[in-house]
Amino acid sequence: MTGRFDEFLARIAPDAPQRERERRLLTAELAELRDIGFGTWRVPAASGGSPITLQEQFARLIRLSAADASLGHVWRGHLAFVESLRLQPIEQAQPWFERILAGDFVGNAQSERHDTAHLETRLDRSSGEPLLSGTKYYTTGSIYADWIHLAALDGDERVAVTVSAHHPGVRSTDDWDGFGQLLTGSGTTVFDRAPVGEDGILVSPAEGADVRGHHLGAILQLTLLAVIAGIAQRALDDTVGFVTPRRRTFGFAGETLPREDPLVQLVVGELDVVAATTRRLVLSVAADLGAASDRRATAAEMREIQFEVFRLQELVPRLVLDATTRLFEVGGASAVGTGRALDRHWRNVRTIASHNPVIQRTRALGQVALTGTLPEWQAPGAEAPRPAEAALA
């Protein structure tokens, strides 16, 4: 499959700026990736897959994101869903692995718009069959999906639900109005009494809950960092492609080749350093996370890897944001043209880095270093700790 994947990347990369300008959803590109098997490469052998390492999966995700940053980002929920299944009892995971091997794609829908962090999407069991109703926002990938994985309330309990995206009661709208990552389908999804199958409510054993929580948190955030690393590589490639054929440098008469200008070479060198460094950082942590998952690491070990992801959340976006600002120094006014859309690299990184605010992660590391405790983050729908409990945590 690697040959098909390589050919696919080479074919779709040149048109990424045009797809963004036209806001043309990635339905065809995603369908081809599904046919190549991109979503199946971590299904365990015991479940019928031919798995690659997590590090290799992230290496391919970085390459995909370099070709089209939105297309890489779209896979975030699906890849996290597969990784979470790998830590579930096989009897729960196997039906979903079979669907994934058949080519099904899983979208993600967690966030809701409320003044306070609570959950209103819920299951109604009054008719016997569980029916899901509610509205989710920032539902990355759901507009393309066969299944949507989300959080909901079952009575007073917060549960993980996976529901068919093809039911008439499920409607996704491309109304994402951010200035970056325009094709991720991160819009609104409404669930109106959508039926939930008997294997659509994932009940995880209490044992190992901390391990699974740290593992899933690390996967979800490292996926975003891999997309940013891919953007850094594409920013370098686009800058080299912009500079190389040019024959004039600002302030000099006649033909003065920008590619021979020491200042231009310096900027391109900086981009090269950032692209290579961020890729290596992401893949290093992906290797540790994959090894920890494979050996069923302890909660303490998995938490330390999640802290490594927190550290990358501080470093990787800052490096790439600085580099994608500096790249405009290579070409004066010509570099800001909408045709090449060099500005999209900064916009896309800034959008991703705002997903889970970096300063919250960095502050958490400081709190751990000083007090040994994390902030009292609570998932929507979970009971908030009382002030006394928070002080003692």
Side-chain angles (χ1 to χ4, degrees), residues 37 43 59 62 82 94 127 162 214 236 294 344 362 375:
V43 175
I62 290 171
V82 172
Q94 187 60 32
S127 64
T162 310
H214 295 313
L236 170 63
D294 290 345
R344 78 187 191 281
T362 307

mmCIF file of all heavy atoms in Angstrom, residues 37 43 59 62 82 94 127 162 214 236 294 344 362 375:
data_model
loop_
_atom_site.group_PDB
_atom_site.id
_atom_site.type_symbol
_atom_site.label_atom_id
_atom_site.label_comp_id
_atom_site.label_asym_id
_atom_site.label_seq_id
_atom_site.Cartn_x
_atom_site.Cartn_y
_atom_site.Cartn_z
ATOM 1 N N GLY A 37 -6.406 2.216 2.627
ATOM 2 C CA GLY A 37 -6.328 1.532 3.913
ATOM 3 C C GLY A 37 -5.761 2.355 5.032
ATOM 4 O O GLY A 37 -5.402 1.817 6.089
ATOM 5 N N VAL A 43 -5.019 -1.645 13.172
ATOM 6 C CA VAL A 43 -5.867 -2.736 13.651
ATOM 7 C C VAL A 43 -4.977 -3.931 13.981
ATOM 8 O O VAL A 43 -4.157 -4.343 13.160
ATOM 9 C CB VAL A 43 -6.921 -3.122 12.598
ATOM 10 C CG1 VAL A 43 -7.717 -4.342 13.051
ATOM 11 C CG2 VAL A 43 -7.843 -1.946 12.326
ATOM 12 N N ALA A 59 4.347 8.979 11.325
ATOM 13 C CA ALA A 59 5.192 9.442 10.223
ATOM 14 C C ALA A 59 4.359 9.626 8.959
ATOM 15 O O ALA A 59 4.527 10.613 8.220
ATOM 16 C CB ALA A 59 6.323 8.437 9.975
ATOM 17 N N ILE A 62 2.147 12.744 9.332
ATOM 18 C CA ILE A 62 2.909 13.972 9.064
ATOM 19 C C ILE A 62 3.017 14.199 7.562
ATOM 20 O O ILE A 62 2.813 15.317 7.070
ATOM 21 C CB ILE A 62 4.301 13.895 9.719
ATOM 22 C CG1 ILE A 62 4.165 13.969 11.246
ATOM 23 C CG2 ILE A 62 5.208 15.021 9.216
ATOM 24 C CD1 ILE A 62 5.466 13.681 11.988
ATOM 25 N N VAL A 82 -9.375 4.113 17.010
ATOM 26 C CA VAL A 82 -8.688 2.835 16.811
ATOM 27 C C VAL A 82 -7.738 2.558 17.974
ATOM 28 O O VAL A 82 -7.689 1.443 18.505
ATOM 29 C CB VAL A 82 -7.934 2.838 15.473
ATOM 30 C CG1 VAL A 82 -7.050 1.597 15.345
ATOM 31 C CG2 VAL A 82 -8.919 2.896 14.305
ATOM 32 N N GLN A 94 -13.823 -5.994 18.847
ATOM 33 C CA GLN A 94 -13.792 -6.730 17.587
ATOM 34 C C GLN A 94 -14.839 -6.282 16.566
ATOM 35 O O GLN A 94 -14.510 -6.113 15.382
ATOM 36 C CB GLN A 94 -13.934 -8.233 17.851
ATOM 37 C CG GLN A 94 -13.755 -9.111 16.619
ATOM 38 C CD GLN A 94 -12.384 -8.940 15.980
ATOM 39 O OE1 GLN A 94 -11.395 -8.687 16.665
ATOM 40 N NE2 GLN A 94 -12.304 -9.079 14.655
ATOM 41 N N SER A 127 -38.384 4.219 25.103
ATOM 42 C CA SER A 127 -39.038 3.328 24.140
ATOM 43 C C SER A 127 -38.387 1.947 24.089
ATOM 44 O O SER A 127 -38.763 1.115 23.275
ATOM 45 C CB SER A 127 -38.993 3.953 22.742
ATOM 46 O OG SER A 127 -37.651 4.076 22.289
ATOM 47 N N THR A 162 -21.159 5.551 19.991
ATOM 48 C CA THR A 162 -20.810 5.574 18.571
ATOM 49 C C THR A 162 -22.067 5.266 17.782
ATOM 50 O O THR A 162 -22.688 4.212 17.963
ATOM 51 C CB THR A 162 -19.702 4.553 18.252
ATOM 52 O OG1 THR A 162 -18.623 4.723 19.169
ATOM 53 C CG2 THR A 162 -19.186 4.755 16.834
ATOM 54 N N HIS A 214 -4.987 8.670 30.194
ATOM 55 C CA HIS A 214 -3.723 9.299 29.814
ATOM 56 C C HIS A 214 -3.338 8.936 28.380
ATOM 57 O O HIS A 214 -2.830 9.778 27.626
ATOM 58 C CB HIS A 214 -2.601 8.862 30.764
ATOM 59 C CG HIS A 214 -2.774 9.323 32.176
ATOM 60 N ND1 HIS A 214 -3.101 10.620 32.501
ATOM 61 C CD2 HIS A 214 -2.657 8.662 33.362
ATOM 62 C CE1 HIS A 214 -3.184 10.738 33.817
ATOM 63 N NE2 HIS A 214 -2.919 9.566 34.362
ATOM 64 N N LEU A 236 8.178 24.731 4.338
ATOM 65 C CA LEU A 236 9.532 24.692 3.777
ATOM 66 C C LEU A 236 9.482 24.397 2.280
ATOM 67 O O LEU A 236 10.121 25.099 1.473
ATOM 68 C CB LEU A 236 10.363 23.626 4.498
ATOM 69 C CG LEU A 236 11.721 23.285 3.887
ATOM 70 C CD1 LEU A 236 12.653 24.491 3.900
ATOM 71 C CD2 LEU A 236 12.346 22.096 4.616
ATOM 72 N N ASP A 294 1.786 -0.954 23.841
ATOM 73 C CA ASP A 294 1.980 -2.372 23.519
ATOM 74 C C ASP A 294 2.301 -3.200 24.758
ATOM 75 O O ASP A 294 1.880 -4.359 24.856
ATOM 76 C CB ASP A 294 3.103 -2.534 22.491
ATOM 77 C CG ASP A 294 2.708 -2.021 21.117
ATOM 78 O OD1 ASP A 294 1.508 -1.815 20.878
ATOM 79 O OD2 ASP A 294 3.623 -1.802 20.285
ATOM 80 N N ARG A 344 -1.577 30.482 4.516
ATOM 81 C CA ARG A 344 -2.409 29.417 5.077
ATOM 82 C C ARG A 344 -1.644 28.609 6.108
ATOM 83 O O ARG A 344 -2.255 28.033 7.035
ATOM 84 C CB ARG A 344 -2.957 28.513 3.975
ATOM 85 C CG ARG A 344 -1.984 27.487 3.410
ATOM 86 C CD ARG A 344 -2.572 26.765 2.210
ATOM 87 N NE ARG A 344 -1.788 25.614 1.796
ATOM 88 C CZ ARG A 344 -0.681 25.669 1.078
ATOM 89 N NH1 ARG A 344 -0.220 26.850 0.673
ATOM 90 N NH2 ARG A 344 -0.031 24.565 0.752
ATOM 91 N N THR A 362 1.000 24.222 29.587
ATOM 92 C CA THR A 362 2.269 24.640 30.167
ATOM 93 C C THR A 362 2.090 24.983 31.644
ATOM 94 O O THR A 362 2.916 24.629 32.492
ATOM 95 C CB THR A 362 2.830 25.845 29.403
ATOM 96 O OG1 THR A 362 2.869 25.526 28.011
ATOM 97 C CG2 THR A 362 4.238 26.176 29.873
ATOM 98 N N PRO A 375 -4.068 20.394 37.525
ATOM 99 C CA PRO A 375 -5.320 21.140 37.680
ATOM 100 C C PRO A 375 -6.509 20.184 37.648
ATOM 101 O O PRO A 375 -6.444 19.092 37.066
ATOM 102 C CB PRO A 375 -5.338 22.072 36.464
ATOM 103 C CG PRO A 375 -3.910 22.184 36.048
ATOM 104 C CD PRO A 375 -3.274 20.865 36.368
#
